[in-house]
Amino acid sequence: MEDFVTKKTTTPHVVIFPLPIQGPVNCMLKLAHLILSLSRATVSVTFLTTTSIHNRLVRHSNAAARLVHSYPNFRFETVSDGLVEHDDGDAQGALKLVESTIALERQAQEEGSKLRAVLGHGSAEPELMTPVTCVLADGFYGCMVDVAKELRVPLVYIETISPCGLWTYLCVPNMVRARDLPFQDDEEGLDASITSVPGMETYLRRRDLPSFCHAYDPNNPVIQLVLKEAQEFPKAQGHILNTFDELEGDYFAHIRALCPNLYNIGPLHLNLKSRIQQETTKSISNSLWQEDRSCLAWLDAQPPKSVLFVSIGSLASMTKDQLMEIWHGLINSKSRFLWVRRPGSIINKDEDTSQDDLEMIPDDLVEGTKKRGCIVSWAPQEEVLAHGAIGGFLTHCGWNSTLESIVEGVPMICWPFYVDQQVNSRVVSEVWKIGLDMNKDNCTRVVVEELIKELMETRRDEFSKRADKMAKLAAQAVAEDGSSYNSLNHLIDDIVSMRFSI
Ligand code: UDP
């Protein structure tokens, strides 16, 4: 055991290494901003990402440029993941993420690679090399425990999926031992209870597990990454979670027992807003797509709490059939709606349905959309959710979207696709009771219409009341002396004093 005190002669220098997708990049740029600002720039930060993510940040957002401009000790380092670079529409997707993760992990383990040099020294250029005193890496990079040990650099994992999702990942080996995985071929089907995820026994069902559990195959590359994460994650010197103490339930004590050096600093975006002057953060965007801000003016013209915001995030895609079911459900519900249709998010591209070819669509959908809807390709989501006209969010339940909705007190209709989204949707509906779960694989127009009416009309007050209460708890957590406020201070202190040991 080498105490980190040996590196105390150097300046604190953190390398931040997110997964190359919107959610983690967004979160970790915010964390970089907080570290730089709250440490009064005594900590140097190197942000390590792929060339294609960096190019897209430069093209579509201003956060990267602002950080570089405001903090001389902030730098980007980029590496190629070796995959063919596509245009913005094709550059994402879950499959691409898995390939990219595997490629980046391979480079991290390869002696002499640029990525490994950045992890160990902040750069591959001898004149720019400075000792790295801590790596903050996404929890999905299971290889980082060994890599950091070889480089003799402390590792703090930052998990950008939800703690409840993380806990199901960490319990995969347990579920296999208990024969909850693979699913038994029995009469109970997807409604069967899962009892081998401690703390969630009363509400977790097969259908609430991540999609890779549904056809469990230990040779599947995603399962291999998850199994590696389950084994390695607890071994890091510290763990950062984007949550706040008051949000978490019974299972959380188990995570804490495995990872005692835990920093709950969420909701990260709210922590940033409250710690760094509002004026500075208001117009900052970390988007990988061009935001269409015209939807804010459209929202200005709508009555309070009348609009359902619809988005499935940055990775998920839907089929043309699903698109039509959602669309009919929206129109039949008579609700107003703001719908993000990300380029490339409709699976069969030839059949992609953009605003331009509305004439191919049944008249009632076209008319209803003109009267009550607004469709954009990418929205400034945090600002949208904060807008007074928003009354509900039909979401895929990605963790960032879920937290952003919680912060603004917006009740949700959950239509999860994969990763942590299934379990998030269960917790939103069953534990926090601030939304409705679309029963995962049952996205028909009738279901969509009924759920929208339930959320926006018949049970609106009930959901709003609980969502408002939760939003208040989030605000308290990041306010002075709140749990996440203190946890963030603690993290920064530990980074500044280089208190992590390897
Ligand atoms: N987002 C956005 N504009 C959009 C849709 C999404 O800025 O039109 C942002 C959203 O605010 C969130 C992120 O993209 O921060 C999506 O992350 P999440 O974890 O919800 O889902 P993922 O994209 O990883 O599936």
Side-chain angles (χ1 to χ4, degrees):
M1 190 84 129
E2 179 200 357
D3 193 78
F4 198 50
V5 96
T6 49
K7 290 201 175 170
K8 277 209 166 160
T9 46
T10 64
T11 315
H13 176 190
V14 173
V15 172
I16 300 186
F17 184 28
L19 285 180
I21 46 172
Q22 176 72 77
V25 166
N26 185 12
C27 268
M28 295 201 199
L29 276 171
K30 288 179 171 161
L31 180 58
H33 196 161
L34 281 164
I35 293 174
L36 290 159
S37 171
L38 300 183
S39 73
R40 300 208 164 69
T42 55
V43 177
S44 295
V45 176
T46 301
F47 200 87
L48 171 59
T49 189
T50 61
T51 321
S52 97
I53 290 288
H54 184 246
N55 289 344
R56 292 176 62 191
L57 278 173
V58 169
R59 205 171 333 139
H60 299 308
S61 79
N62 56 8
R66 280 199 189 208
L67 284 179
V68 171
H69 181 252
S70 311
Y71 297 99
N73 50 349
F74 175 80
R75 297 177 51 245
F76 274 100
E77 278 287 345
T78 59
V79 290
S80 167
D81 56 12
L83 304 180
V84 181
E85 302 225 339
H86 300 280
D87 62 22
D88 290 354
D90 297 334
Q92 301 271 308
L95 192 62
K96 160 92 166 51
L97 172 63
V98 171
E99 289 173 14
S100 189
T101 305
I102 292 170
L104 294 173
E105 288 209 324
R106 200 173 298 134
Q107 290 180 39
Q109 294 168 88
E110 191 182 311
E111 289 290 344
S113 71
K114 176 178 178 187
L115 198 154
R116 196 171 164 98
V118 176
L119 289 170
H121 309 285
S123 174
E125 306 292 327
E127 64 278 11
L128 291 176
M129 285 183 174
T130 47
V132 174
T133 57
C134 181
V135 168
L136 301 183
D138 194 290
F140 202 48
Y141 291 123
C143 76
M144 278 306 300
V145 169
D146 283 345
V147 171
K149 204 183 285 168
E150 286 155 19
L151 295 170
R152 301 167 73 82
V153 176
L155 170 70
V156 174
Y157 269 135
I158 164 159
E159 191 57 68
T160 49
I161 63 168
S162 61
C164 56
L166 170 71
W167 185 230
T168 59
Y169 278 32
L170 296 180
C171 288
V172 166
N174 207 26
M175 286 191 262
V176 172
R177 272 193 299 274
R179 293 171 181 270
D180 273 336
L181 280 181
F183 295 165
Q184 308 294 318
D185 187 11
D186 54 28
E187 276 179 4
E188 286 177 286
L190 292 175
D191 287 323
S193 295
I194 295 288
T195 52
S196 50
V197 180
M200 292 189 181
E201 299 89 340
T202 53
Y203 53 87
L204 199 67
R205 306 159 303 174
R206 285 180 186 155
R207 67 169 78 252
D208 306 316
L209 291 178
S211 51
F212 58 76
C213 292
H214 289 231
Y216 186 82
D217 167 10
N219 297 317
N220 174 316
V222 179
I223 304 248
Q224 287 180 349
L225 286 171
V226 169
L227 287 171
K228 178 87 177 160
E229 180 175 3
Q231 179 187 310
E232 298 301 299
F233 187 80
K235 297 180 187 164
Q237 282 74 44
H239 299 87
I240 300 171
L241 296 181
N242 190 9
T243 188
F244 53 104
D245 292 353
E246 296 72 10
L247 190 63
E248 296 300 340
D250 292 347
Y251 59 86
F252 202 80
H254 298 282
I255 299 183
R256 215 180 266 287
L258 269 183
C259 310
N261 196 18
L262 197 60
Y263 305 87
N264 283 347
I265 61 169
L268 202 45
H269 69 288
L270 191 61
N271 227 334
L272 181 72
K273 271 188 206 149
S274 86
R275 299 299 285 267
I276 310 218
Q277 284 291 308
Q278 285 273 359
E279 308 83 71
T280 328
T281 55
K282 207 157 58 185
S283 53
I284 294 184
S285 154
N286 293 327
S287 265
L288 300 179
W289 285 266
Q290 195 60 45
E291 289 172 348
D292 183 344
R293 299 185 61 82
S294 68
C295 58
L296 295 171
W298 182 84
L299 283 175
D300 287 343
Q302 312 305 317
K305 292 194 184 250
S306 67
V307 177
L308 182 75
F309 179 50
V310 184
S311 165
I312 58 168
S314 69
L315 284 172
S317 11
M318 61 174 86
T319 61
K320 173 101 186 284
D321 284 348
Q322 288 171 321
L323 173 94
M324 295 311 286
E325 292 307 305
I326 295 263
W327 205 345
H328 277 288
L330 278 169
I331 297 299
N332 296 343
S333 76
K334 303 274 186 288
S335 174
R336 292 161 204 260
F337 62 90
L338 167 60
W339 189 352
V340 176
R341 294 227 199 115
R342 198 186 77 239
S345 65
I346 314 298
I347 286 171
N348 185 346
K349 228 177 176 285
D350 296 339
E351 293 177 279
D352 194 349
T353 312
S354 66
Q355 221 165 359
D356 301 335
D357 48 33
L358 276 181
E359 59 277 10
M360 313 270 294
I361 302 298
D363 285 350
D364 56 332
L365 296 193
V366 177
E367 286 311 310
T369 302
K370 274 188 199 148
K371 267 196 221 142
R372 292 185 299 276
C374 174
I375 300 176
V376 292
S377 59
W378 194 252
Q381 182 167 304
E382 282 178 37
E383 283 178 73
V384 164
L385 286 168
H387 197 288
I390 295 293
F393 185 11
L394 196 167
T395 170
H396 69 312
C397 252
W399 185 233
N400 293 292
S401 297
T402 306
L403 273 181
E404 288 159 16
S405 209
I406 286 174
V407 162
E408 301 303 340
V410 175
M412 289 165 257
I413 296 173
C414 311
W415 181 34
F417 286 73
Y418 39 53
V419 199
D420 56 340
Q421 297 155 19
Q422 276 89 354
V423 64
N424 296 348
S425 65
R426 184 65 170 164
V427 172
V428 164
S429 65
E430 209 52 29
V431 182
W432 301 327
K433 299 188 192 301
I434 52 170
L436 295 162
D437 190 357
M438 209 196 280
N439 215 9
K440 331 304 189 193
D441 33 25
N442 199 9
C443 162
T444 64
R445 63 190 67 184
V446 175
V447 170
V448 174
E449 179 189 342
E450 279 170 359
L451 293 185
I452 295 174
K453 285 181 170 159
E454 200 176 334
L455 193 88
M456 303 290 284
E457 296 170 25
T458 52
R459 296 179 63 196
R460 169 181 156 152
D461 291 347
E462 168 197 338
F463 283 120
S464 283
K465 221 178 265 171
R466 281 195 290 263
D468 283 345
K469 202 166 156 197
M470 197 154 267
K472 283 201 184 92
L473 291 177
Q476 283 163 10
V478 303
E480 195 168 349
D481 235 11
S483 58
S484 292
Y485 179 99
N486 289 337
S487 198
L488 180 62
N489 283 354
H490 187 183
L491 172 70
I492 308 267
D493 284 351
D494 288 354
I495 289 173
V496 170
S497 60
M498 295 181 271
R499 220 170 276 150
F500 302 105
S501 21
I502 43 178

